[in-house]
Amino acid sequence: MIGSGNGNGKLSGAVVAVAGAGGPAGRAALIRLAEAGAVVVASDADPARLAEAVDAARYAHGGATVTGDTVDLLDLAATKAWAERTEKDFGRLDGVVHLVGGWRGSASFTETDLADWDFLEKLLIRTVQHTSLAFHDALLRSDRGRYVLVSQSGAHKPIATNAAYNAGKAAAEAWTLALADSFRKAGGEDGPNAAAAILVIKALVHDAMRAERPTAKFAGFTDVKELAEAIAGVWERPATEVNGQRLWLTPQP
């Protein structure tokens, strides 16, 4: 018997790892997944932020199993150890939600600092590579394995001042689609049992941002609670329907 929750859908009893769980989107995701009855295993590079996010999810859903683990996702061996430990501890592994983010921009295209690329490549791409490689086999062993990447619309319509960020997001999407192809091939004629899906947003907004800027419209922004709902929704759809798909939460450019 692993964990307990009040969910009765596809996430009930599922074990889901959330990478980059300490930010506002991570907090919302932990709460939503716990509400759905999942066992949630969260990681973040910031131990204090992670502890706060885990405590908030536990408080919101007292019967839920929510744990936190400080993992260096830039270390492939450490990421693999996290995946192996999670599957061993809970007996299964049904999902990875990638919420590791970061942003660097420039005043113009020619003023792009390539040090920003070095920074973003680690956060936006390397963490996707490591988590997907580390959790791939466990997700295939699951009857409902899902890998969920959160991307940004600029990957499809890059702008001069966001060259490094847009390119990083595009690369992360390409890597995730390659993961989806691996799941597809592993499934054979019956189709994939596991799925890798991409949720595309313009930008995120949360209550604290609205409080700081009460007159701002935040047009086209996705609320972190809405994102969390969309993340949970990936499990409610068949793997064949979401594998290798971009699920747009903002108008497609």
Side-chain angles (χ1 to χ4, degrees):
M1 177 79 177
I2 53 171
S4 60
N6 58 4
N8 54 12
K10 298 288 186 182
L11 276 166
S12 182
V15 178
V16 181
V18 179
R27 286 187 176 218
L30 297 190
I31 289 170
R32 181 65 185 89
L33 292 168
E35 179 186 45
V39 172
V40 189
V41 184
S43 80
D44 197 272
D46 185 324
R49 286 204 322 169
L50 177 63
E52 288 175 7
V54 168
D55 286 347
R58 286 176 178 164
Y59 180 77
H61 302 286
T65 299
V66 185
T67 65
D69 207 345
T70 305
V71 181
D72 181 5
L73 297 178
L74 296 179
D75 182 331
L76 179 58
T79 310
K80 286 184 173 179
W82 180 42
E84 291 166 4
R85 187 166 62 248
T86 301
E87 189 175 20
K88 181 181 178 182
D89 288 349
F90 297 105
R92 58 186 298 130
L93 216 160
D94 304 293
V96 179
V97 179
H98 184 280
L99 294 172
V100 182
W103 179 83
R104 296 276 176 90
S106 58
S108 70
F109 179 76
T110 54
E111 290 174 273
T112 299
D113 185 346
L114 290 179
D116 291 346
W117 169 258
D118 295 336
F119 170 79
L120 291 170
E121 182 271 337
K122 291 182 176 68
L123 289 179
L124 304 183
I125 306 169
R126 192 55 57 89
T127 58
V128 172
Q129 292 171 329
H130 287 174
T131 52
S132 60
L133 292 169
F135 286 89
H136 176 277
D137 291 355
L139 293 177
L140 278 181
R141 285 190 284 272
S142 168
D143 60 346
R144 47 185 151 168
R146 300 287 186 274
Y147 187 98
V148 183
L149 176 77
V150 177
S151 188
Q152 198 263 343
S153 55
H156 304 272
K157 194 176 181 180
I159 61 174
T161 55
N162 265 356
Y165 178 77
N166 293 159
K169 282 295 192 182
E173 286 197 13
W175 187 275
T176 302
L177 293 176
L179 171 65
D181 189 55
S182 180
F183 288 159
R184 186 179 299 110
K185 286 173 176 167
E189 291 183 3
D190 295 332
N193 205 35
I198 300 166
L199 299 176
V200 188
I201 61 168
K202 173 185 174 182
L204 291 173
V205 64
H206 51 85
D207 291 344
M209 287 172 63
R210 292 192 181 93
E212 288 170 9
R213 298 169 59 193
T215 61
K217 300 294 185 188
F218 298 108
F221 284 40
T222 299
D223 190 279
V224 291
K225 296 184 183 72
E226 182 186 345
L227 175 64
E229 197 65 42
I231 289 168
V234 173
W235 273 267
E236 298 304 324
R237 296 167 64 177
T240 50
E241 193 177 297
V242 295
N243 188 49
Q245 298 301 309
R246 293 181 178 91
L247 308 174
W248 289 80
L249 303 184
T250 189
Q252 191 168 342

